[in-house]
């Protein structure tokens, strides 16, 4: 069985490009890949277009871990930043005995390297500069990039957004690009018109609503190609004569930051689609540094429009789109949360719906059109938009509904299972419940193809033999995978009992195959008594706006409400982590016995009050909705007397339950429960080392900027980068912090991690009394911030140069990847993947190693 599973995963990698193309061609609300690609350069003069290069194809026939992808090519260039390659140079010989060579490539008439053979390839480019020079490197179509050995985020959706400020070395400069979703690459070098300037690539702008007398928020990127910090700078906006000044946070040297700015109102003015918005960037002396004129829409709040807000994840500006009610004078209407599919803009999602007369519809962005498949920061975006919409529209809290299409259909299944008491009903359209289930739906079919057909995709009999080899994951790999439990939607399937479910799917859908919907119908049919299933006759993946705006769905919604707590006699709740989802109605799971395994409770008051739990060590119950006269509770068969009415805590110890006091916020809980990814929220700030060697300081500064670049590209983010010597606990109070470096080179280490059970120095990691020595070790871990009840500290650290290179990847910012509280690894993960991770695991509920759960290789 394991060998077949591995084969399925491998074949998926081969067929994935064809699935992406299929998803691309799904209908009129879909924004195609690269449709809005930037081609014109307004930030300076193009001084070089890369027209020749070398390409190396590495066809991967092995399952490549998503947490630590194997990358022998980047490994060589990371370990030797001055490495150069030549035409026909052999990189390696693969297991088939074939030489893997660097082959010459040239651009087409669009100045792009564009060839289907570039799939699964690396592109090597070089440029000789006559002097040390400040430039902008612009490339598109790549997923990752090394410039002279330093990592940078790519432009894998081929938008043409990326601009990387760069100081060219005098002499040879090398660029190694990993080809992204499409087999095309474009690369140019730009002489910037100014060292500090605006770019209008990737704006976030609201619609100015003429009925609202308030300030609005937008965001624009500022390019800093200088060696200086931009401190105390400000942006002045001017809309129809209304001028507003906005201070911006410091911007690091040689970086690009997307910054918020405030826009004045246009109360009672004429509705107009394109009005000039003028922006001026002023320095710390009030001198004009840059200017830009934009176009912005003036709209009515009673028609389709988009709104913006400041995210608490990172202080960035995010938008959501609204299809408002036509019944503007009625209070406490319904609220519909509609989540979009892959590549769809939220504004197009909302525009696919006609306005309703009994509720407002809001469409969040998932942070980007592709974003995070509504998991990770996509999930948090949906929750932030839901909270914003509730605040603005003041809906009937019993009439909140969830729907979505394609990837948004997955979002409906996932969010509906994760937050079941938030919604009265859900309606997944053309959706898949679990990303793994979706992936395997294609590959199961193709894994049984005859070898003659599979050979068209490069699978020979010898490859087939390799695919069939059995693989047993190590205990460490299983521990890493466990961090993904909150995303395994089918493990939470009984949470759908909270609400009605309407499944809509096209009869002939080949993008999300119809059998996935039929499978969910079968699964629900075994226990659920309130769901409707409808296959649209002859329907493909997208068959018009009624693929989402389907009247029977809204009639189904209208008949259902969220139950009042006092009316609930029986219910169940399941979660993979209290840090993701902890409660339903009046019961909260605070802590687990085994971290990131499914925890649950079953409640009943049909006869007496009974609660049965699994994998729960600390439970909170609000007894007030249960009964005014409650005197005892049966908890896992134990009768416990209730003396104080209201909120009561129960703690399990050695199999016995007792009433306890409220848990300390210093312990794990819904507010701060770990998994390394959890560090990247709560207005997170990135603090890099500056107290090491010249190499260490350059590396960690770039490493922090790399994460900021990635979070901007993938999450429309704005994460502040801070030098360690400038960090203070007071200035960044209660904010999450990511530390880059170790105790010897990051000045902020002792401020935040002095008493931490994991200490990292040059040449040594100390882990609860155990020591690993050498320069090859890297680690990612998360711990609570000692001076805060809510904030966390994430750590990207290493014992030396090899370990620093081993920790270059930031796949923790990619959806679908899994990262527990602690990972320790060496440089071999770049070649061998997860199997070479030395240690992985979770701290205990008291954040100690002693009560934690760790596996070692």
């Amino acid at each position: 069985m394991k060998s077949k599973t591995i084969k399925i995963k491998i074949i998926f990698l081969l067929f994935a490009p064809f699935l992406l193309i299929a998803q691309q061609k799904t209908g009129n609300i879909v924004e195609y890949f690269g449709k809005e690609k930037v081609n014109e350069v307004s930030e300076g003069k193009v001084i070089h277009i890369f027209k020749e290069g070398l390409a190396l194809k590495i066809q991967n026939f092995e399952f490549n871990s998503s947490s630590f992808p194997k990358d022998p090519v980047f490994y060589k260039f990371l370990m030797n930043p001055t490495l150069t390659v030549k035409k026909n140079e052999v990189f390696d010989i693969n297991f088939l005995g074939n030489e893997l060579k660097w082959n010459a490539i040239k651009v087409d008439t669009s100045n792009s390297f564009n060839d289907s053979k570039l799939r699964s390839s690396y592109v090597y480019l070089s440029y000789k500069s006559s002097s040390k020079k400040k430039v902008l490197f612009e490339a598109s179509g790549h997923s990752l990039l090394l410039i002279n050995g330093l990592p940078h985020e790519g432009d894998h959706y081929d938008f043409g957004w990326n601009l990387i400020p760069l100081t060219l070395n005098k002499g040879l400069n090398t660029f190694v690009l990993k080809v992204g979703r499409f087999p095309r690459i474009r690369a140019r070098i730009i002489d910037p018109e100014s060292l500090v300037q605006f770019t209008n690539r990737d704006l976030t702008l609201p619609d100015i609503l003429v009925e609202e007398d308030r300030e609005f928020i937008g965001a624009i990127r500022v390019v800093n190609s200088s060696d200086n910090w931009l401190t105390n700078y400000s942006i002045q906006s001017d809309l129809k004569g209304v001028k507003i000044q906005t201070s911006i946070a410091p911007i690091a040297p040689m970086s690009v930051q997307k910054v918020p700015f405030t826009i004045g109102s246009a109360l009672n003015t004429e509705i107009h689609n394109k009005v000039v918005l003028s922006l001026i960037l002023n320095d710390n002396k009030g001198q004009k540094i840059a200017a830009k004129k934009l176009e912005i829409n003036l709209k009515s709040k009673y028609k389709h429009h988009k709104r913006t807000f400041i995210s608490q994840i990172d202080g960035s500006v995010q938008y959501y789109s609204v299809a408002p009610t036509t019944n503007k004078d009625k209070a406490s209407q319904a609220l519909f949360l509609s989540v979009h599919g892959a590549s769809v803009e939220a504004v197009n999602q909302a525009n696919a719906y006609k306005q309703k007369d009994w509720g407002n519809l809001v469409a969040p962005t998932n942070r980007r059109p592709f974003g995070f498949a509504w998991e990770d920061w996509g999930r948090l975006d949906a929750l932030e938009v839901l909270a914003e919409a509730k605040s603005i529209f003041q809906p009937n809290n019993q009439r909140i509904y969830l729907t979505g299409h394609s990837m948004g259909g997955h979002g409906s299944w996932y969010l509906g299972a994760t937050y079941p008491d938030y919604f009265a009903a859900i309606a997944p359209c053309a959706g898949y419940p679990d990303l793994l289930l979706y992936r395997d739906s294609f590959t199961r079919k193709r894994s049984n193809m005859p070898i003659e057909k599979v050979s068209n995709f490069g699978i020979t009999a010898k490859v087939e033999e390799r695919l069939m080899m059995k693989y047993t994951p190590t205990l460490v790999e299983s521990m890493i995978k466990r961090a993904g439990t909150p995303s395994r939607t089918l493990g939470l399937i009984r949470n759908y009992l909270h609400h009605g479910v309407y499944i809509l799917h096209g009869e002939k859908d080949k993008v999300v195959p119809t059998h996935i919907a039929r499978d969910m119908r079968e699964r629900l049919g075994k226990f659920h008594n309130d769901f409707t299933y409808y296959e649209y006759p002859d329907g493909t993946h997208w068959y018009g706006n009624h693929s989402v705006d389907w009247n029977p769905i809204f009639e189904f919604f209208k008949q259902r409400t969220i139950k009042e707590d006092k009316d609930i006699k029986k219910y169940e709740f399941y979660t993979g982590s209290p840090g993701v989802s902890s409660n339903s109605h009046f019961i909260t799971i605070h802590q687990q016995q085994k971290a990131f395994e499914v925890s649950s409770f079953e409640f009943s008051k049909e006869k007496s009050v009974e609660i049965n739990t699994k994998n729960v060590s600390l439970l909170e119950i609000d007894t007030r909705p249960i009964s005014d006269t409650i005197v005892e509770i049966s908890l896992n068969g134990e009768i416990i007397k209730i003396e104080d009415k209201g909120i009561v805590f129960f703690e399990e110890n050695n199999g016995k339950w007792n009433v306890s006091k409220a848990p300390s916020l210093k312990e794990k809980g819904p507010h701060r429960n770990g998994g390394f990814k959890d560090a990247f929220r709560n207005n997170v700030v990135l603090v890099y080392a500056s107290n090491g060697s010249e190499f260490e300081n350059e590396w960690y500064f770039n490493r922090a900027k790399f994460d900021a670049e990635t979070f901007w590209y993938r999450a429309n983010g704005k994460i502040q980068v801070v030098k360690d010597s400038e960090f203070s606990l007071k200035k960044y109070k209660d904010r999450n912090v990511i530390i880059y470096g170790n105790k010897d080179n990051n000045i902020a280490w002792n401020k935040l991690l002095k008493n931490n059970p994991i200490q990292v120095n040059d040449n040594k990691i100390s882990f609860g009394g155990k020591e690993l020595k050498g320069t090859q070790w890297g680690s990612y871990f998360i711990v609570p911030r000692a001076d805060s009840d809510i904030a966390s500290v994430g750590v990207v650290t290493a014992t030396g140069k090899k370990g620093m290179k081993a920790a270059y990847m930031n796949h923790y910012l990619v959806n679908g990847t899994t990262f527990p509280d602690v990972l320790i690894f060496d440089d071999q993960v770049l070649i061998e993947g997860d199997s070479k991770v030395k240690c992985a695991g979770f701290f205990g509920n008291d954040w100690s190693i002693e009560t934690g759960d760790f596996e070692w290789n």
Side-chain angles (χ1 to χ4, degrees), residues 173-186:
N173 295 266
T174 61
F175 307 81
V176 184
L177 300 88
K178 194 172 185 177
V179 177
R181 290 174 176 257
F182 299 99
R184 60 177 179 260
I185 294 285
R186 184 185 70 192

Side-chain angles (χ1 to χ4, degrees), residues 579-593:
V580 174
S581 175
S582 62
N583 71 295
S584 174
H585 293 288
F586 45 84
I587 300 178
T588 301
I589 296 173
H590 275 261
Q591 293 178 353
Q592 300 174 291
Q593 295 168 339

Side-chain angles (χ1 to χ4, degrees), residues 23-312:
Q23 284 183 298
Q24 175 184 340
K25 301 175 180 177
T26 56
N28 65 334
I29 71 165
V30 174
E31 287 291 334
Y32 294 155
F33 290 98
K35 181 177 179 181
E36 299 180 357
K37 182 172 181 176
V38 175
N39 291 305
E40 298 300 319
V41 174
S42 62
E43 297 83 6
K45 180 182 178 182
V46 176
I47 59 174
H48 183 73
I49 298 173
F50 290 92
K51 295 187 176 183
E52 295 182 348
L54 299 173
L56 173 69
K57 189 176 186 69
I58 304 288
Q59 186 71 65
N60 186 10
F61 293 114
E62 297 181 359
F63 176 53
N64 207 352
S65 162
S66 59
S67 297
F68 288 92
K70 300 175 184 179
D71 200 332
V73 178
F74 267 32
Y75 176 83
K76 287 196 173 183
F77 284 96
L78 282 162
M79 294 303 170
N80 183 5
T82 61
L83 179 67
T84 61
V85 295
K86 297 178 181 179
K87 178 182 176 180
N88 294 326
E89 183 176 323
V90 176
F91 172 78
D92 198 0
I93 298 176
N94 66 14
F95 73 90
L96 295 172
N98 298 326
E99 291 183 330
L100 304 176
K101 292 182 178 181
W102 289 97
N103 296 310
I105 55 173
K106 292 184 178 181
V107 298
D108 60 14
T109 55
S110 68
N111 284 323
S112 297
F113 301 102
N114 196 345
D115 191 326
S116 61
K117 295 178 182 178
L118 287 179
R119 293 191 190 280
S120 303
S121 292
Y122 295 79
V123 170
Y124 172 88
L125 305 172
S126 62
Y127 178 77
K128 285 187 178 181
S129 178
S130 59
S131 63
K132 194 172 183 179
K133 182 178 176 64
K134 295 280 191 297
V135 299
L136 297 174
F137 179 75
E138 184 229 52
S140 58
H142 58 303
S143 61
L144 283 173
L145 165 69
L146 292 179
I147 301 179
N148 294 329
L150 293 175
H152 292 275
E153 177 63 9
D155 182 17
H156 32 104
Y157 299 128
D158 203 28
F159 292 150
W161 287 349
N162 275 25
L163 292 170
I164 298 174
L166 167 67
T167 302
L168 288 172
N169 296 328
K170 181 180 180 180
L172 188 66
N173 295 266
T174 61
F175 307 81
V176 184
L177 300 88
K178 194 172 185 177
V179 177
R181 290 174 176 257
F182 299 99
R184 60 177 179 260
I185 294 285
R186 184 185 70 192
R188 305 185 284 197
I189 294 177
I190 301 167
D191 183 11
E193 67 175 10
S194 174
L195 291 181
V196 179
Q197 60 180 306
F198 286 128
T199 176
N200 57 7
R201 304 185 191 212
D202 186 34
L203 298 167
T204 299
L205 296 175
D207 289 330
I208 306 299
L209 305 177
V210 298
E211 297 90 356
E212 297 188 359
D213 186 13
R214 64 178 178 88
E215 294 179 344
F216 297 80
I217 304 167
I220 189 170
R221 293 165 71 207
V222 175
V223 181
N224 181 11
S225 303
S226 76
D227 291 326
N228 303 315
W229 283 85
L230 306 186
T231 56
N232 298 318
Y233 276 52
S234 63
I235 294 177
Q236 177 185 282
S237 68
D238 183 346
L239 178 67
K240 299 179 78 66
V242 179
K243 298 180 180 180
I244 298 182
Q245 199 88 1
T246 306
S247 298
I248 62 177
I251 298 176
M254 303 301 290
S255 69
V256 184
Q257 181 75 287
K258 192 169 185 178
V259 298
F261 62 89
T262 306
I263 309 168
S265 72
L267 185 66
N268 297 326
T269 58
E270 184 180 351
I271 293 172
H272 200 292
N273 278 345
K274 293 182 179 180
V275 175
V276 174
L277 171 66
S278 298
L279 299 181
I280 295 175
L281 178 66
N282 295 317
D283 66 11
N284 53 11
K285 296 179 181 179
Q287 299 297 310
K288 177 180 174 180
I289 300 298
K292 185 72 71 173
K293 290 188 181 297
L294 310 174
E295 291 182 337
I296 197 166
N297 297 328
L298 304 187
K299 289 191 174 183
S300 170
K301 70 177 183 179
Y302 303 117
K303 299 296 182 181
H304 286 80
H305 63 271
K306 60 179 178 177
R307 294 174 177 263
T308 55
F309 66 97
I310 296 290
S311 170
Q312 296 304 304

Side-chain angles (χ1 to χ4, degrees), residues 792-804:
S792 300
V793 180
V795 184
V796 177
T797 184
T799 60
K801 185 176 290 188
K802 278 192 172 183
M804 292 158 67

Side-chain angles (χ1 to χ4, degrees), residues 588 590 617-623 635 640 642 644 646-652 657-663:
T588 301
H590 275 261
S617 62
L618 186 60
L619 198 68
E620 174 190 338
I621 304 174
D622 185 351
T623 64
L635 186 51
I640 302 177
I642 304 298
D644 297 321
I647 295 176
V648 184
F649 294 90
F650 301 87
E651 186 174 19
E652 184 271 340
W657 286 90
N658 294 291
V659 175
S660 69
K661 61 182 181 180

Side-chain angles (χ1 to χ4, degrees), residues 586-587 603-605 607-611 621-635 639-648 650:
F586 45 84
I587 300 178
F603 167 85
S604 174
K605 65 173 185 178
K607 295 181 180 178
S608 58
V609 178
E610 297 182 4
I611 300 173
I621 304 174
D622 185 351
T623 64
R624 291 167 295 188
I626 300 175
S627 171
D628 293 333
T629 59
I630 186 171
V631 294
E632 64 182 27
I633 284 177
S634 172
L635 186 51
I639 304 299
I640 302 177
K641 299 293 183 182
I642 304 298
E643 297 179 356
D644 297 321
K645 305 299 186 293
I647 295 176
V648 184
F650 301 87

